Amino acid sequence: MTNLIENLVKLGLKEYEAKIYIALVGIREANARTIHEISGVPRPRVYDILNELTAKGFVEIREGSPLFYRFVPPDIVISKLQNELNRAAEESIAILETLSTQKDEEYVPLWHVKGDWSIKRHLNLLIERMTGSLSILVLEKDVPDRYLTQIREAAKKGEVSLLFKPGITYSGPRIPGVIYYQIDKLNDFFRENIFEKAFANPLIRKNQVFFLESLIISEDTEVMSIYTVNEERMAFINTLPISLYLQNMTFDLMLSGALKSMEEDDNPQQMKK
């Protein structure tokens, strides 16, 4: 019952309105005293709430002494609430978009977002802006499945390269337009001072554990670093040209010593040049 009240409140009813409407649906028709007893709404408030529900078209009155009230069918009530909610949302979007265009957009090269929903939303935007290839460094085994929808969409727009760190083998469905690689050979300096310290293992700073899960590089446009801090997922979006250049160089360096996976019909766990 609590969830039902909460849902009706989310749709636009007040808490007491929701309680009285639910009570009426259960007993079909009643006077104010019975509605008070069933709903738990304080007696002094019942008449006011019933009048508000009647004005909204959610409750009907049968004349008499005392007055009796009955509910309007839920499908009609919910439909009206949804329409009002959608109309309010559309009006709000229009007004907010007007406000956002009143000032020239400033170039902000760095963005930080938290949570899977926000990360996927920004990844969708990155793919919408994608004009060339997309490169994805996979450092955590669940990354391809977590962003499978986004990878499929990116593959429709251009070539996508998935580069897996040693120890991670992809055995999921192959996507047309996606090339799968496995890191194999790295020069000693890069492997010891960069890859193993920044990419392959967690970084610990002031009791916080940073673990890089993936780098997603849209060619010459932006790079998204997806990582966790004490197991909370976050992303850092960077459009600085010099940073993009360095990230592209880093990815190309790892790719130069990588093994390309076999075609879709072959065993995905076997690799070849």
Side-chain angles (χ1 to χ4, degrees):
M1 189 66 70
T2 301
N3 288 340
L4 178 56
I5 294 171
E6 290 176 354
N7 287 336
L8 289 174
V9 169
K10 289 177 182 177
L11 284 168
L13 289 184
K14 300 172 185 176
E15 183 179 350
Y16 282 173
E17 290 176 337
K19 287 182 176 182
I20 284 180
Y21 182 77
I22 292 168
L24 274 174
V25 172
I27 57 180
R28 303 191 65 82
E29 185 178 291
N31 58 27
R33 178 178 178 179
T34 303
I35 293 170
H36 152 67
E37 293 172 350
I38 298 297
S39 68
V41 173
R43 181 70 179 272
R45 295 297 314 280
V46 169
Y47 282 107
D48 290 340
I49 303 300
L50 284 167
N51 288 336
E52 291 173 6
L53 289 171
T54 301
K56 292 178 179 180
F58 299 159
V59 167
E60 296 175 344
I61 300 174
R62 179 165 65 83
E63 295 294 335
S65 182
L67 296 175
F68 272 73
Y69 302 85
R70 65 179 180 183
F71 67 96
V72 172
D75 59 330
I76 297 175
V77 171
I78 298 301
S79 178
K80 186 175 181 182
L81 288 171
Q82 284 180 317
N83 290 337
E84 291 174 351
L85 195 63
N86 290 336
R87 184 166 55 252
E90 291 170 1
E91 290 176 357
S92 298
I93 290 172
I95 294 171
L96 289 169
E97 287 180 345
T98 301
L99 292 174
S100 69
T101 58
Q102 291 176 356
K103 183 180 180 181
D104 293 336
E105 185 174 351
E106 297 179 1
Y107 172 61
V108 181
L110 305 173
W111 289 93
H112 182 241
V113 297
K114 293 184 179 182
D116 286 333
W117 184 87
S118 293
I119 291 171
K120 288 181 179 179
R121 185 176 74 85
H122 280 271
L123 182 53
N124 288 335
L125 293 173
L126 181 151
I127 292 169
E128 285 180 13
R129 295 188 290 265
M130 175 182 161
T131 57
S133 62
L134 190 73
S135 304
I136 303 176
L137 175 62
V138 179
L139 301 168
E140 198 272 330
K141 63 182 180 65
D142 293 330
V143 165
D145 291 332
R146 186 177 300 123
Y147 306 112
L148 182 61
T149 299
Q150 287 75 20
I151 294 171
R152 288 185 191 276
E153 287 302 311
K156 296 176 183 177
K157 301 190 67 176
E159 183 178 287
V160 177
S161 299
L162 262 65
L163 178 61
F164 295 82
K165 82 171 185 179
I168 297 179
T169 303
Y170 181 71
S171 58
R174 296 302 177 96
I175 302 171
V178 177
I179 305 174
Y180 301 84
Y181 297 90
Q182 184 105 44
I183 294 175
D184 182 41
K185 296 178 181 178
L186 298 171
N187 69 60
D188 292 341
F189 178 85
F190 182 85
R191 186 185 67 252
E192 294 173 5
N193 295 281
I194 299 176
F195 185 79
E196 291 183 357
K197 291 183 178 179
F199 293 96
N201 296 296
L203 293 170
I204 301 175
R205 296 289 185 276
K206 296 181 179 180
N207 297 322
Q208 291 188 313
V209 180
F210 294 79
F211 179 75
L212 184 63
E213 293 186 342
S214 180
L215 282 179
I216 301 176
I217 305 170
S218 181
E219 185 178 12
D220 300 327
T221 306
E222 55 194 300
V223 58
M224 175 182 284
S225 305
I226 302 175
Y227 60 98
T228 60
V229 180
N230 295 339
E231 301 184 354
E232 180 183 7
R233 187 165 291 111
M234 305 180 186
F236 186 70
I237 301 147
N238 190 342
T239 61
L240 281 171
I242 186 63
S243 179
L244 285 170
Y245 175 77
L246 293 172
Q247 295 284 14
N248 272 300
M249 289 291 292
T250 300
F251 190 90
D252 290 343
L253 182 61
M254 289 185 282
L255 195 61
S256 65
L259 297 174
K260 184 178 178 181
S261 70
M262 288 185 170
E263 301 302 324
E264 183 174 0
D265 293 336
D266 295 324
N267 184 346
Q269 296 188 4
Q270 297 175 344
M271 300 288 172
K272 68 177 181 180
K273 291 276 189 179

